[in-house]
Amino acid sequence: QQPVQSPQAVILREGEDAVINCSSSKALYSVHWYRQKHGEAPVFLMILLKGGEQKGHEKISASFNEKKQQSSLYLTASQLSYSGTYFCGAHPHSGGGADGLTFGKGTHLIIQP
Amino acid sequence: KAGVTQTPRYLIKTRGQQVTLSCSPISGHRSVSWYQQTPGQGLQFLFEYFSETQRNKGNFPGRFSGRQFSNSRSEMNVSTLELGDSALYLCASSLGGTHQSDTQYFGPGTRLTVL
């Protein structure tokens, strides 16, 4: 079952913050975040494993709440280069690495100058 | 390190034809996964190959098949094309470990249009 991402789309001014959520009805073991710009391949951002881990990459960070089966991606002081579609990919708890990632439908992020 | 490469980048076919797409993973990666991306359904998992064996399969009809060679390169085949097969087909490579932390890196995709 697909993770549910929210919001579906968001428009920000440069410098504003954004939060993108990814929820699953199934237990999660890991959450993978990707960003895809129009006409390009999805680019890996970060992976979070169970345990409430939080990771960061420059001004982009994420958290993973295993109990709530939810992950959130935080974009701080957004830059024009952050524009794109953000996908979360989930591994089900019962699956192993052999299971394919199940992706949410994506969140379209537009950063305006 | 060179990234994941996919060929061809664009294809136009007609209904009923078949098509073969190719993916070369990052050097040292042994797992190749294939995904179909459409505006309506998003990214959907097709199958994964590891060491020349299909290790997992998504929920797609048997018209979609694949294989992997000893050098980890993979091909995907779609037979009897339908209009609904028009999509961006992405392959992703990873080291292939069974841990959920195994990270997948995507290629640029092949844009298939079925007329």
Side-chain angles (χ1 to χ4, degrees), chain B residues 36-69:
Chain B
Q36 181 194 66
Q37 186 176 33
T38 59
Q41 298 299 319
L43 272 163
Q44 292 189 289
F45 173 70
L46 282 154
F47 31 65
E48 185 224 1
Y49 284 86
F50 178 80
S51 291
E52 301 179 64
T53 301
Q54 187 180 88
R55 192 160 65 167
N56 199 34
K57 190 176 190 303
N59 192 25
F60 277 80
R63 299 186 297 107
F64 292 82
S65 63
R67 58 178 176 168
Q68 188 179 34
F69 301 95

XYZ file of all heavy atoms in Angstrom, chain B residues 36-69:
284
model
N 7.953 2.044 -12.953
C 7.177 2.764 -13.954
C 6.658 4.043 -13.304
O 6.113 3.995 -12.200
C 5.996 1.913 -14.424
C 5.146 2.585 -15.494
C 3.807 1.883 -15.695
O 2.953 1.864 -14.815
N 3.615 1.302 -16.879
N 6.854 5.169 -13.980
C 6.366 6.432 -13.441
C 5.367 7.061 -14.395
O 5.677 7.316 -15.561
C 7.514 7.403 -13.174
C 7.064 8.676 -12.472
C 8.224 9.599 -12.112
O 9.222 9.662 -12.819
N 8.093 10.300 -10.996
N 4.165 7.296 -13.902
C 3.117 7.984 -14.668
C 2.534 9.082 -13.803
O 2.600 9.020 -12.567
C 1.990 7.015 -15.073
O 1.432 6.440 -13.875
C 2.497 5.911 -15.972
N 1.944 10.117 -14.439
C 1.369 11.215 -13.652
C 0.266 10.742 -12.704
O 0.152 11.235 -11.598
C 0.817 12.159 -14.726
C 1.620 11.859 -15.941
C 1.916 10.392 -15.880
N -0.494 9.768 -13.133
C -1.625 9.334 -12.317
C -1.247 8.391 -11.185
O -1.772 8.495 -10.083
N -0.348 7.484 -11.440
C 0.001 6.451 -10.454
C 1.317 6.700 -9.740
O 1.632 6.021 -8.763
C 0.066 5.079 -11.150
C -1.243 4.633 -11.758
C -2.333 4.492 -10.731
O -2.108 3.991 -9.626
N -3.532 4.969 -11.056
N 2.101 7.651 -10.212
C 3.381 7.905 -9.559
C 4.394 6.823 -9.881
O 4.354 6.201 -10.934
N 5.291 6.588 -8.949
C 6.358 5.595 -9.119
C 5.866 4.237 -8.634
O 5.540 4.070 -7.468
C 7.574 5.983 -8.285
C 8.612 6.896 -8.911
C 9.499 7.496 -7.846
C 9.459 6.124 -9.909
N 5.862 3.274 -9.538
C 5.407 1.940 -9.152
C 6.485 0.911 -9.445
O 7.062 0.902 -10.536
C 4.125 1.585 -9.899
C 2.935 2.440 -9.474
C 1.650 1.911 -10.075
O 1.431 2.032 -11.275
N 0.807 1.318 -9.253
N 6.703 0.045 -8.480
C 7.755 -0.957 -8.560
C 7.356 -2.079 -9.514
O 6.271 -2.654 -9.408
C 8.007 -1.512 -7.156
C 8.938 -2.679 -7.085
C 10.294 -2.521 -7.346
C 8.466 -3.932 -6.746
C 11.152 -3.597 -7.271
C 9.314 -5.014 -6.665
C 10.663 -4.849 -6.923
N 8.251 -2.386 -10.444
C 8.023 -3.475 -11.391
C 8.674 -4.764 -10.904
O 8.020 -5.766 -10.698
C 8.583 -3.102 -12.764
C 7.716 -2.153 -13.582
C 8.561 -1.363 -14.575
C 6.640 -2.930 -14.318
N 9.980 -4.766 -10.802
C 10.717 -5.926 -10.308
C 12.145 -5.549 -9.964
O 12.633 -4.479 -10.319
C 10.720 -7.102 -11.314
C 10.663 -6.713 -12.762
C 11.698 -6.011 -13.367
C 9.560 -7.049 -13.526
C 11.638 -5.658 -14.695
C 9.493 -6.698 -14.867
C 10.525 -5.995 -15.454
N 12.796 -6.481 -9.268
C 14.178 -6.287 -8.877
C 14.986 -7.521 -9.239
O 14.514 -8.658 -9.069
C 14.301 -6.044 -7.374
C 15.729 -5.702 -6.941
C 16.181 -6.428 -5.688
O 15.406 -7.220 -5.131
O 17.322 -6.176 -5.255
N 16.171 -7.299 -9.745
C 17.088 -8.391 -10.075
C 18.361 -8.253 -9.253
O 18.873 -7.148 -9.043
C 17.417 -8.391 -11.564
C 16.292 -8.922 -12.396
C 15.267 -8.078 -12.817
C 16.198 -10.270 -12.713
C 14.196 -8.571 -13.552
C 15.137 -10.768 -13.448
C 14.137 -9.912 -13.859
O 13.072 -10.396 -14.570
N 18.823 -9.387 -8.822
C 20.067 -9.456 -8.044
C 20.784 -10.720 -8.453
O 20.208 -11.804 -8.411
C 19.753 -9.451 -6.552
C 20.977 -9.562 -5.675
C 21.765 -8.454 -5.428
C 21.323 -10.776 -5.101
C 22.891 -8.557 -4.632
C 22.439 -10.880 -4.309
C 23.223 -9.767 -4.057
N 22.031 -10.583 -8.832
C 22.828 -11.739 -9.267
C 22.073 -12.576 -10.293
O 21.963 -13.808 -10.145
C 23.213 -12.604 -8.054
O 24.133 -11.934 -7.249
N 21.542 -11.930 -11.283
C 20.884 -12.565 -12.439
C 19.562 -13.255 -12.097
O 19.009 -13.969 -12.938
C 21.839 -13.572 -13.108
C 23.141 -12.935 -13.604
C 24.077 -13.957 -14.228
O 23.708 -14.532 -15.262
O 25.172 -14.177 -13.666
N 19.061 -13.023 -10.894
C 17.814 -13.670 -10.475
C 16.797 -12.606 -10.098
O 17.137 -11.619 -9.443
C 18.066 -14.593 -9.266
O 19.024 -15.577 -9.628
C 16.774 -15.282 -8.829
N 15.552 -12.843 -10.507
C 14.504 -11.927 -10.082
C 14.229 -12.193 -8.613
O 13.753 -13.267 -8.240
C 13.231 -12.126 -10.914
C 12.162 -11.082 -10.615
C 10.902 -11.297 -11.440
O 10.003 -12.035 -11.052
N 10.837 -10.651 -12.593
N 14.456 -11.178 -7.799
C 14.346 -11.383 -6.358
C 12.982 -10.944 -5.839
O 12.514 -11.430 -4.821
C 15.460 -10.608 -5.661
C 15.662 -10.948 -4.200
C 17.032 -10.539 -3.694
N 17.271 -9.112 -3.700
C 18.299 -8.538 -3.080
N 19.155 -9.283 -2.406
N 18.481 -7.225 -3.145
N 12.357 -10.008 -6.547
C 11.049 -9.543 -6.119
C 10.309 -8.969 -7.309
O 10.928 -8.515 -8.282
C 11.183 -8.489 -5.020
C 9.900 -8.323 -4.232
O 9.164 -9.290 -4.018
N 9.631 -7.112 -3.805
N 8.986 -9.006 -7.232
C 8.183 -8.553 -8.352
C 7.011 -7.735 -7.855
O 6.385 -8.085 -6.854
C 7.676 -9.773 -9.132
C 7.011 -9.451 -10.456
C 6.641 -10.748 -11.184
C 6.202 -10.492 -12.611
N 5.077 -9.568 -12.747
N 6.703 -6.664 -8.566
C 5.547 -5.852 -8.241
C 4.301 -6.403 -8.893
O 4.294 -7.495 -9.461
N 3.255 -5.614 -8.845
C 1.953 -6.070 -9.306
C 1.690 -5.628 -10.744
O 0.832 -4.783 -10.994
C 0.868 -5.546 -8.359
C -0.465 -6.206 -8.612
O -0.517 -7.317 -9.125
N -1.534 -5.516 -8.263
N 2.426 -6.166 -11.671
C 2.262 -5.851 -13.087
C 1.990 -7.136 -13.858
O 2.409 -8.221 -13.440
C 3.529 -5.176 -13.633
C 3.581 -3.697 -13.366
C 3.977 -3.206 -12.129
C 3.223 -2.791 -14.351
C 4.009 -1.853 -11.873
C 3.259 -1.425 -14.117
C 3.653 -0.957 -12.874
N 1.291 -7.025 -15.011
C 0.989 -8.233 -15.787
C 2.246 -8.874 -16.360
O 3.313 -8.260 -16.421
C 0.069 -7.719 -16.897
C 0.302 -6.253 -16.957
C 0.686 -5.820 -15.600
N 2.082 -10.107 -16.801
C 3.201 -10.872 -17.310
C 3.814 -10.318 -18.583
O 4.900 -10.757 -18.988
N 3.149 -9.340 -19.197
C 3.733 -8.703 -20.389
C 5.035 -7.970 -20.033
O 5.853 -7.691 -20.917
C 2.749 -7.686 -20.981
C 1.426 -8.258 -21.435
C 0.571 -7.208 -22.129
N 0.188 -6.096 -21.260
C 0.701 -4.882 -21.344
N 1.628 -4.600 -22.249
N 0.293 -3.924 -20.536
N 5.184 -7.666 -18.783
C 6.393 -6.987 -18.320
C 7.368 -8.046 -17.792
O 7.021 -8.816 -16.886
C 6.052 -5.993 -17.201
C 5.243 -4.826 -17.662
C 3.864 -4.932 -17.802
C 5.849 -3.624 -17.969
C 3.107 -3.851 -18.241
C 5.095 -2.528 -18.394
C 3.726 -2.648 -18.532
N 8.522 -8.082 -18.343
C 9.511 -9.056 -17.900
C 10.885 -8.417 -17.933
O 11.078 -7.331 -18.493
C 9.488 -10.296 -18.790
O 9.843 -9.952 -20.119
N 11.825 -9.093 -17.332
C 13.173 -8.545 -17.326
C 14.195 -9.639 -17.186
O 13.861 -10.833 -17.057
N 15.433 -9.220 -17.231
C 16.515 -10.161 -16.965
C 17.752 -9.362 -16.577
O 17.830 -8.152 -16.800
C 16.805 -11.035 -18.176
C 17.182 -10.287 -19.448
C 17.500 -11.272 -20.558
N 17.769 -10.606 -21.821
C 18.292 -11.231 -22.883
N 18.593 -12.516 -22.816
N 18.512 -10.569 -23.999
N 18.688 -10.074 -16.011
C 19.937 -9.439 -15.622
C 21.088 -10.310 -16.092
O 21.024 -11.544 -16.011
C 20.008 -9.249 -14.104
C 21.204 -8.424 -13.648
C 21.249 -8.228 -12.147
O 20.857 -9.100 -11.384
N 21.722 -7.072 -11.705
N 22.117 -9.662 -16.532
C 23.274 -10.374 -17.055
C 24.362 -10.486 -15.986
O 24.284 -9.846 -14.943
C 23.786 -9.648 -18.300
C 22.753 -9.532 -19.384
C 21.970 -8.385 -19.491
C 22.532 -10.568 -20.280
C 20.993 -8.276 -20.476
C 21.562 -10.462 -21.268
C 20.795 -9.319 -21.359
